[in-house]
Amino acid sequence: MRFTYQAVERIPKQLSEGVVYHSPEFQVAALLCACGCGHRVMLLVPDSHQVSSVCGMASVNPSIAVCDAPCKAHYFITAGEVEWLPAFSPAMASSVMRNQIARHATVDAKRRPWTTRLWAAIARAFNKLRDLLGV
């Protein structure tokens, strides 16, 4: 399966297979699990993942670990291609989820300065322009 990149204002309720939906304004991304199980994967951008587009193909870093679904899939998406990694054990998946919740609670407790928010807005505008020009 190959993943394309689609910038959206809001993440749609119904997701299509093979599409990484990215809302730069709300700093989230979503996709259906690459294993085909149909699980909806939500990513917080830039807190936990970076999402980008190269010639319309999606890249997501770091790896996506689907710890909250029975498949326990674990993979990278690079230029649209899926690179499979070993699945997490139940104990490792639980640990990753606990650490992620703790990290987000810490990040949410800190308000980002206006300069950081301004640079993020400029980067989003630049990425939109780059996508429109196909660079």
Side-chain angles (χ1 to χ4, degrees):
M1 174 182 299
R2 292 181 53 95
F3 279 88
T4 60
Y5 173 91
Q6 186 172 344
V8 294
E9 185 175 329
R10 297 184 186 275
I11 302 296
K13 289 184 183 195
Q14 292 285 34
L15 304 180
S16 296
E17 284 190 16
V19 179
V20 175
Y21 298 91
H22 180 215
S23 173
E25 180 180 355
F26 293 103
Q27 299 183 332
V28 293
L31 63 142
L32 292 177
C33 184
C35 80
C37 71
H39 181 73
R40 183 183 184 107
V41 177
M42 295 296 298
L43 305 173
L44 298 176
V45 180
D47 295 340
S48 62
H49 287 83
Q50 301 296 318
V51 177
S52 60
S53 169
V54 176
C55 298
M57 302 309 289
S59 290
V60 178
N61 283 303
S63 64
I64 298 169
V66 185
C67 297
D68 58 340
C71 69
K72 301 292 187 245
H74 186 203
Y75 50 90
F76 279 104
I77 299 175
T78 306
E81 297 291 332
V82 177
E83 177 188 343
W84 292 99
L85 299 168
F88 285 180
S89 68
M92 186 178 244
S94 178
S95 174
V96 166
M97 292 295 284
R98 278 195 311 275
N99 290 340
Q100 187 175 29
I101 290 167
R103 184 176 66 245
H104 292 301
T106 301
V107 168
D108 289 345
K110 301 176 191 173
R111 182 176 162 107
R112 295 185 308 160
W114 70 269
T115 53
T116 302
R117 293 191 312 268
L118 174 64
W119 281 113
I122 291 169
R124 287 190 304 270
F126 177 77
N127 286 336
K128 280 184 181 180
L129 180 62
R130 188 180 65 192
D131 288 342
L132 287 172
L133 296 174
V135 177

mmCIF file of all heavy atoms in Angstrom, residues 1-5 18 20 31 34 54 56-61 64 75-84:
data_model
loop_
_atom_site.group_PDB
_atom_site.id
_atom_site.type_symbol
_atom_site.label_atom_id
_atom_site.label_comp_id
_atom_site.label_asym_id
_atom_site.label_seq_id
_atom_site.Cartn_x
_atom_site.Cartn_y
_atom_site.Cartn_z
ATOM 1 N N MET A 1 0.842 -1.178 0.000
ATOM 2 C CA MET A 1 0.000 0.000 0.000
ATOM 3 C C MET A 1 0.890 1.245 0.000
ATOM 4 O O MET A 1 1.897 1.280 0.680
ATOM 5 C CB MET A 1 -0.907 0.000 1.236
ATOM 6 C CG MET A 1 -1.709 1.277 1.382
ATOM 7 S SD MET A 1 -2.743 1.369 2.846
ATOM 8 C CE MET A 1 -3.814 -0.008 2.598
ATOM 9 N N ARG A 2 0.503 2.228 -0.774
ATOM 10 C CA ARG A 2 1.205 3.513 -0.809
ATOM 11 C C ARG A 2 0.298 4.569 -0.205
ATOM 12 O O ARG A 2 -0.917 4.511 -0.373
ATOM 13 C CB ARG A 2 1.555 3.888 -2.242
ATOM 14 C CG ARG A 2 2.617 2.968 -2.840
ATOM 15 C CD ARG A 2 2.981 3.353 -4.249
ATOM 16 N NE ARG A 2 3.373 4.733 -4.403
ATOM 17 C CZ ARG A 2 4.637 5.187 -4.379
ATOM 18 N NH1 ARG A 2 5.609 4.343 -4.221
ATOM 19 N NH2 ARG A 2 4.900 6.465 -4.542
ATOM 20 N N PHE A 3 0.898 5.531 0.490
ATOM 21 C CA PHE A 3 0.134 6.589 1.133
ATOM 22 C C PHE A 3 0.374 7.930 0.450
ATOM 23 O O PHE A 3 1.519 8.354 0.295
ATOM 24 C CB PHE A 3 0.512 6.709 2.616
ATOM 25 C CG PHE A 3 -0.174 5.698 3.484
ATOM 26 C CD1 PHE A 3 0.391 4.454 3.690
ATOM 27 C CD2 PHE A 3 -1.383 5.995 4.083
ATOM 28 C CE1 PHE A 3 -0.238 3.513 4.489
ATOM 29 C CE2 PHE A 3 -2.019 5.067 4.884
ATOM 30 C CZ PHE A 3 -1.445 3.827 5.083
ATOM 31 N N THR A 4 -0.707 8.572 0.064
ATOM 32 C CA THR A 4 -0.627 9.928 -0.459
ATOM 33 C C THR A 4 -0.876 10.903 0.685
ATOM 34 O O THR A 4 -1.404 10.524 1.740
ATOM 35 C CB THR A 4 -1.665 10.174 -1.577
ATOM 36 O OG1 THR A 4 -2.973 9.959 -1.044
ATOM 37 C CG2 THR A 4 -1.410 9.272 -2.771
ATOM 38 N N TYR A 5 -0.484 12.134 0.473
ATOM 39 C CA TYR A 5 -0.650 13.202 1.462
ATOM 40 C C TYR A 5 -1.819 14.082 1.037
ATOM 41 O O TYR A 5 -1.941 14.431 -0.139
ATOM 42 C CB TYR A 5 0.630 14.039 1.526
ATOM 43 C CG TYR A 5 0.519 15.273 2.393
ATOM 44 C CD1 TYR A 5 0.851 15.210 3.731
ATOM 45 C CD2 TYR A 5 0.087 16.491 1.865
ATOM 46 C CE1 TYR A 5 0.763 16.351 4.536
ATOM 47 C CE2 TYR A 5 -0.005 17.615 2.662
ATOM 48 C CZ TYR A 5 0.333 17.532 3.989
ATOM 49 O OH TYR A 5 0.245 18.648 4.785
ATOM 50 N N GLY A 18 -4.965 4.466 2.330
ATOM 51 C CA GLY A 18 -3.833 4.972 1.567
ATOM 52 C C GLY A 18 -3.705 6.483 1.534
ATOM 53 O O GLY A 18 -2.989 7.017 0.695
ATOM 54 N N VAL A 20 -2.908 9.932 4.043
ATOM 55 C CA VAL A 20 -2.591 10.574 5.312
ATOM 56 C C VAL A 20 -3.207 11.969 5.232
ATOM 57 O O VAL A 20 -2.816 12.778 4.395
ATOM 58 C CB VAL A 20 -1.069 10.672 5.568
ATOM 59 C CG1 VAL A 20 -0.793 11.466 6.832
ATOM 60 C CG2 VAL A 20 -0.456 9.278 5.657
ATOM 61 N N LEU A 31 -5.017 8.640 9.577
ATOM 62 C CA LEU A 31 -4.949 7.670 8.496
ATOM 63 C C LEU A 31 -5.574 6.376 8.973
ATOM 64 O O LEU A 31 -5.776 6.190 10.175
ATOM 65 C CB LEU A 31 -3.501 7.424 8.065
ATOM 66 C CG LEU A 31 -2.572 6.824 9.138
ATOM 67 C CD1 LEU A 31 -1.627 5.831 8.494
ATOM 68 C CD2 LEU A 31 -1.789 7.927 9.818
ATOM 69 N N ALA A 34 -2.137 0.872 8.197
ATOM 70 C CA ALA A 34 -1.553 0.305 6.972
ATOM 71 C C ALA A 34 -1.761 -1.205 6.864
ATOM 72 O O ALA A 34 -1.671 -1.760 5.766
ATOM 73 C CB ALA A 34 -0.060 0.622 6.898
ATOM 74 N N VAL A 54 6.127 14.815 -0.208
ATOM 75 C CA VAL A 54 7.118 14.935 -1.264
ATOM 76 C C VAL A 54 6.436 14.461 -2.542
ATOM 77 O O VAL A 54 6.074 13.282 -2.654
ATOM 78 C CB VAL A 54 8.381 14.100 -0.961
ATOM 79 C CG1 VAL A 54 9.351 14.157 -2.120
ATOM 80 C CG2 VAL A 54 9.035 14.547 0.325
ATOM 81 N N GLY A 56 3.468 14.820 -3.412
ATOM 82 C CA GLY A 56 2.142 14.282 -3.108
ATOM 83 C C GLY A 56 2.130 12.992 -2.323
ATOM 84 O O GLY A 56 1.065 12.480 -1.978
ATOM 85 N N MET A 57 3.303 12.442 -2.019
ATOM 86 C CA MET A 57 3.382 11.204 -1.245
ATOM 87 C C MET A 57 3.713 11.547 0.206
ATOM 88 O O MET A 57 4.539 12.416 0.476
ATOM 89 C CB MET A 57 4.428 10.261 -1.831
ATOM 90 C CG MET A 57 4.162 9.889 -3.294
ATOM 91 S SD MET A 57 2.508 9.288 -3.635
ATOM 92 C CE MET A 57 2.535 7.709 -2.855
ATOM 93 N N ALA A 58 3.084 10.846 1.138
ATOM 94 C CA ALA A 58 3.217 11.153 2.560
ATOM 95 C C ALA A 58 4.465 10.532 3.173
ATOM 96 O O ALA A 58 4.875 9.435 2.797
ATOM 97 C CB ALA A 58 1.991 10.657 3.309
ATOM 98 N N SER A 59 5.028 11.269 4.132
ATOM 99 C CA SER A 59 6.078 10.744 4.998
ATOM 100 C C SER A 59 5.691 11.091 6.428
ATOM 101 O O SER A 59 5.221 12.195 6.688
ATOM 102 C CB SER A 59 7.437 11.357 4.673
ATOM 103 O OG SER A 59 7.916 10.895 3.437
ATOM 104 N N VAL A 60 5.883 10.123 7.338
ATOM 105 C CA VAL A 60 5.563 10.323 8.750
ATOM 106 C C VAL A 60 6.757 9.848 9.562
ATOM 107 O O VAL A 60 7.251 8.739 9.371
ATOM 108 C CB VAL A 60 4.303 9.527 9.169
ATOM 109 C CG1 VAL A 60 4.016 9.720 10.648
ATOM 110 C CG2 VAL A 60 3.096 9.928 8.324
ATOM 111 N N ASN A 61 7.208 10.697 10.468
ATOM 112 C CA ASN A 61 8.312 10.355 11.366
ATOM 113 C C ASN A 61 7.967 10.804 12.767
ATOM 114 O O ASN A 61 7.355 11.837 12.925
ATOM 115 C CB ASN A 61 9.608 11.055 10.931
ATOM 116 C CG ASN A 61 10.229 10.382 9.737
ATOM 117 O OD1 ASN A 61 10.518 9.202 9.778
ATOM 118 N ND2 ASN A 61 10.401 11.123 8.672
ATOM 119 N N ILE A 64 5.086 4.808 13.288
ATOM 120 C CA ILE A 64 3.720 4.758 13.805
ATOM 121 C C ILE A 64 3.564 3.421 14.510
ATOM 122 O O ILE A 64 3.750 2.363 13.906
ATOM 123 C CB ILE A 64 2.698 4.879 12.663
ATOM 124 C CG1 ILE A 64 2.851 6.220 11.966
ATOM 125 C CG2 ILE A 64 1.278 4.667 13.179
ATOM 126 C CD1 ILE A 64 2.073 6.343 10.670
ATOM 127 N N TYR A 75 5.139 0.647 11.959
ATOM 128 C CA TYR A 75 5.706 0.901 10.639
ATOM 129 C C TYR A 75 6.106 2.360 10.458
ATOM 130 O O TYR A 75 5.678 3.241 11.200
ATOM 131 C CB TYR A 75 4.703 0.516 9.542
ATOM 132 C CG TYR A 75 3.314 1.100 9.730
ATOM 133 C CD1 TYR A 75 2.965 2.326 9.190
ATOM 134 C CD2 TYR A 75 2.348 0.416 10.459
ATOM 135 C CE1 TYR A 75 1.695 2.857 9.369
ATOM 136 C CE2 TYR A 75 1.090 0.931 10.643
ATOM 137 C CZ TYR A 75 0.759 2.165 10.097
ATOM 138 O OH TYR A 75 -0.494 2.685 10.289
ATOM 139 N N PHE A 76 6.945 2.583 9.459
ATOM 140 C CA PHE A 76 7.297 3.910 8.968
ATOM 141 C C PHE A 76 6.533 4.146 7.677
ATOM 142 O O PHE A 76 6.241 3.191 6.942
ATOM 143 C CB PHE A 76 8.790 4.000 8.608
ATOM 144 C CG PHE A 76 9.706 4.232 9.764
ATOM 145 C CD1 PHE A 76 10.459 3.185 10.270
ATOM 146 C CD2 PHE A 76 9.834 5.490 10.328
ATOM 147 C CE1 PHE A 76 11.330 3.394 11.318
ATOM 148 C CE2 PHE A 76 10.706 5.704 11.376
ATOM 149 C CZ PHE A 76 11.448 4.659 11.879
ATOM 150 N N ILE A 77 6.243 5.399 7.362
ATOM 151 C CA ILE A 77 5.765 5.775 6.035
ATOM 152 C C ILE A 77 6.773 6.780 5.509
ATOM 153 O O ILE A 77 6.964 7.844 6.107
ATOM 154 C CB ILE A 77 4.352 6.391 6.063
ATOM 155 C CG1 ILE A 77 3.347 5.389 6.617
ATOM 156 C CG2 ILE A 77 3.952 6.848 4.658
ATOM 157 C CD1 ILE A 77 1.944 5.950 6.793
ATOM 158 N N THR A 78 7.437 6.430 4.413
ATOM 159 C CA THR A 78 8.449 7.289 3.811
ATOM 160 C C THR A 78 8.175 7.399 2.324
ATOM 161 O O THR A 78 8.173 6.390 1.615
ATOM 162 C CB THR A 78 9.866 6.718 4.033
ATOM 163 O OG1 THR A 78 10.051 6.491 5.443
ATOM 164 C CG2 THR A 78 10.926 7.673 3.529
ATOM 165 N N ALA A 79 7.937 8.625 1.869
ATOM 166 C CA ALA A 79 7.612 8.886 0.458
ATOM 167 C C ALA A 79 6.508 7.943 -0.032
ATOM 168 O O ALA A 79 6.578 7.401 -1.118
ATOM 169 C CB ALA A 79 8.856 8.789 -0.416
ATOM 170 N N GLY A 80 5.516 7.735 0.833
ATOM 171 C CA GLY A 80 4.363 6.930 0.479
ATOM 172 C C GLY A 80 4.506 5.442 0.728
ATOM 173 O O GLY A 80 3.524 4.718 0.755
ATOM 174 N N GLU A 81 5.730 4.966 0.908
ATOM 175 C CA GLU A 81 5.984 3.530 1.084
ATOM 176 C C GLU A 81 5.936 3.151 2.559
ATOM 177 O O GLU A 81 6.429 3.880 3.418
ATOM 178 C CB GLU A 81 7.356 3.156 0.522
ATOM 179 C CG GLU A 81 7.485 3.370 -0.966
ATOM 180 C CD GLU A 81 6.645 2.418 -1.784
ATOM 181 O OE1 GLU A 81 6.378 1.282 -1.325
ATOM 182 O OE2 GLU A 81 6.229 2.813 -2.884
ATOM 183 N N VAL A 82 5.367 1.989 2.843
ATOM 184 C CA VAL A 82 5.290 1.468 4.206
ATOM 185 C C VAL A 82 6.472 0.539 4.447
ATOM 186 O O VAL A 82 6.734 -0.371 3.654
ATOM 187 C CB VAL A 82 3.970 0.702 4.432
ATOM 188 C CG1 VAL A 82 3.930 0.093 5.822
ATOM 189 C CG2 VAL A 82 2.779 1.629 4.207
ATOM 190 N N GLU A 83 7.177 0.790 5.523
ATOM 191 C CA GLU A 83 8.273 -0.092 5.948
ATOM 192 C C GLU A 83 7.859 -0.700 7.283
ATOM 193 O O GLU A 83 7.716 0.015 8.278
ATOM 194 C CB GLU A 83 9.571 0.693 6.120
ATOM 195 C CG GLU A 83 10.710 -0.143 6.631
ATOM 196 C CD GLU A 83 11.956 0.668 6.978
ATOM 197 O OE1 GLU A 83 12.069 1.821 6.548
ATOM 198 O OE2 GLU A 83 12.810 0.123 7.709
ATOM 199 N N TRP A 84 7.618 -1.993 7.286
ATOM 200 C CA TRP A 84 7.121 -2.685 8.467
ATOM 201 C C TRP A 84 8.234 -2.910 9.486
ATOM 202 O O TRP A 84 9.368 -3.219 9.137
ATOM 203 C CB TRP A 84 6.491 -4.016 8.079
ATOM 204 C CG TRP A 84 5.234 -3.801 7.301
ATOM 205 C CD1 TRP A 84 5.084 -3.843 5.953
ATOM 206 C CD2 TRP A 84 3.965 -3.448 7.836
ATOM 207 N NE1 TRP A 84 3.794 -3.539 5.611
ATOM 208 C CE2 TRP A 84 3.081 -3.291 6.748
ATOM 209 C CE3 TRP A 84 3.486 -3.236 9.122
ATOM 210 C CZ2 TRP A 84 1.745 -2.956 6.914
ATOM 211 C CZ3 TRP A 84 2.151 -2.902 9.289
ATOM 212 C CH2 TRP A 84 1.295 -2.772 8.200
#
